[in-house]
Amino acid sequence: MTQTFQELLNQEIEESVAHALYEDLGGQDAHSGDITAQLIPQENQLEADLITREPCVFVGKRWVEEVFQQLDPGVQIQWYAEDGDNLQPNDRICTLSGNARSILTGERTAMNFVQTLSATATKVSEYVSLLSGSKTRLLDTRKTIPGLRFAQKYAVTCGGGLNHRIGLYDAFLIKENHIMASGSIKAAISAARQLAPEKPVEVEVENLDELQQALEAGADIIMLDNFSLQDIQKAVSNNAGKAKLEVSGNITSQHLLSLSELGVDYISSGAITKHVQAVDLSLRVKNRI
């Protein structure tokens, strides 16, 4: 039976956190793998606040919890933010309390996940705000950080965007090379309908002639790849609501404003997952307890 997105996300969280801790500890356990933490008396306890130094949309609660679950389940976490919350500089995200060695060993691993996923959600939120008032919705792509596919897809939804296909298995996306290998747009769509009639079929087109071929072959979604604004207007007119239209290629915040006025259904952007700039975070030790 096919796993659900949530099941795949849960599995990825556990595995990606385990791998990240493996990288930091060199495959050793927490007691022997962090030689700097061994300078601290083993019985010492402390409290520390995780804060953001800049505005962001926070994402990463489950990843922080998993880090300390794997390192030391005795570490307590008090949360002040939930995934999807808008935060301002110096806002507290959570307070960690427990063994000093465990908290200091896990801090960077936890923050690495939060800084990346929050960056994704923050960029998505910025783009979504530019589309406000239009019918156009923002989609992600498969241009994600390897090993964090489900994490970044989740972060996109926290920022207000929508997921495109999750992988190669849940929807057809027929691109130029598929068309060339199949012989034609019509042949590729026909084969897709026979192979998995229940799955959506999307075709990427590069000009208005290919758009017409995709419409005549019955595509569900048509991606207009690197179309000029003028040709997008013509495509919307020619389509007349027959299929969903998606625009892709060189999407920037400045470009979004123009695209949002044309009446397309979706804009997809790889930048929201691959061109992210990590959010600046800090862990501030409050006191020993």
Side-chain angles (χ1 to χ4, degrees):
M1 185 174 70
T2 303
Q3 289 180 286
T4 66
F5 177 85
Q6 190 60 55
E7 289 170 335
L8 290 165
L9 176 63
N10 292 341
Q11 181 178 332
E12 183 184 274
I13 292 171
E14 183 178 346
E15 292 176 352
S16 61
V17 166
H19 184 70
L21 290 172
Y22 180 91
E23 290 176 331
D24 250 351
L25 299 171
Q28 304 176 70
D29 62 36
H31 297 293
S32 55
D34 184 351
I35 60 173
T36 309
Q38 292 178 43
L39 304 176
I40 304 165
Q42 189 169 1
E43 69 277 5
N44 279 18
Q45 306 283 303
L46 60 77
E47 284 186 337
D49 287 336
L50 178 62
I51 68 166
T52 177
R53 293 181 177 272
E54 60 183 315
C56 71
V57 177
F58 167 70
V59 180
K61 181 175 180 179
R62 293 273 310 284
W63 287 262
V64 175
E65 292 175 341
E66 184 65 25
V67 166
F68 291 101
Q69 179 63 35
Q70 292 191 25
L71 271 180
D72 180 356
V75 173
Q76 300 297 306
I77 308 175
Q78 181 177 356
W79 288 101
Y80 306 103
E82 297 292 334
D83 288 348
D85 283 355
N86 287 282
L87 303 182
Q88 297 302 315
N90 296 314
D91 278 353
R92 281 193 301 178
I93 296 171
C94 66
T95 296
L96 303 171
S97 57
N99 183 269
R101 287 187 179 184
S102 298
I103 290 173
L104 297 179
T105 295
E107 64 168 309
R108 174 44 54 194
T109 299
M111 286 195 291
N112 281 350
F113 286 109
V114 173
Q115 71 186 19
T116 300
L117 300 182
S118 297
T120 299
T122 302
K123 178 58 71 174
V124 170
S125 179
E126 174 191 330
Y127 278 20
V128 167
S129 68
L130 293 173
L131 297 174
S132 177
S134 74
K135 63 171 282 189
T136 306
R137 301 298 303 275
L138 181 70
L139 295 175
D140 56 21
T141 71
R142 288 172 47 242
K143 297 174 182 178
T144 52
I145 297 171
L148 291 179
R149 167 66 55 82
F150 301 102
Q152 284 198 289
K153 291 278 188 179
Y154 170 72
V156 166
T157 65
C158 291
L162 299 177
N163 294 148
H164 205 281
R165 57 179 180 161
I166 303 301
L168 296 172
Y169 57 89
D170 58 327
F172 292 101
L173 179 48
I174 301 168
K175 297 190 174 187
E176 179 183 10
N177 288 339
H178 300 103
I179 295 167
M180 291 291 292
S182 298
S184 68
I185 290 174
K186 181 178 179 180
I189 293 178
S190 177
R193 296 297 188 200
Q194 293 180 28
L195 177 63
E198 77 285 358
K199 295 189 184 295
V201 177
E202 179 169 1
V203 180
E204 180 183 80
V205 301
E206 297 183 350
N207 53 58
L208 293 170
D209 178 61
E210 290 184 350
L211 168 69
Q212 189 59 39
Q213 293 178 49
L215 288 173
E216 291 174 358
D220 299 309
I221 307 171
I222 300 174
M223 180 191 294
L224 312 177
D225 185 41
N226 286 304
F227 272 44
S228 66
L229 293 178
Q230 183 178 8
D231 280 348
I232 293 173
Q233 287 180 312
K234 292 179 181 177
V236 171
S237 176
N238 293 352
N239 178 57
K242 298 184 188 72
K244 297 290 187 181
L245 292 184
E246 174 186 337
V247 173
S248 181
N250 298 313
I251 304 301
T252 64
S253 55
Q254 293 80 9
H255 198 196
L256 278 172
L257 291 172
S258 300
L259 293 173
S260 68
E261 300 172 352
L262 300 179
V264 296
D265 298 284
Y266 305 114
I267 294 174
S268 58
S269 170
I272 59 177
T273 50
K274 70 186 180 75
H275 291 168
V276 295
Q277 180 173 334
V279 171
D280 190 9
L281 306 170
S282 179
L283 187 76
R284 293 178 177 174
V285 174
K286 296 167 63 176
N287 53 266
R288 290 172 54 186
I289 56 176

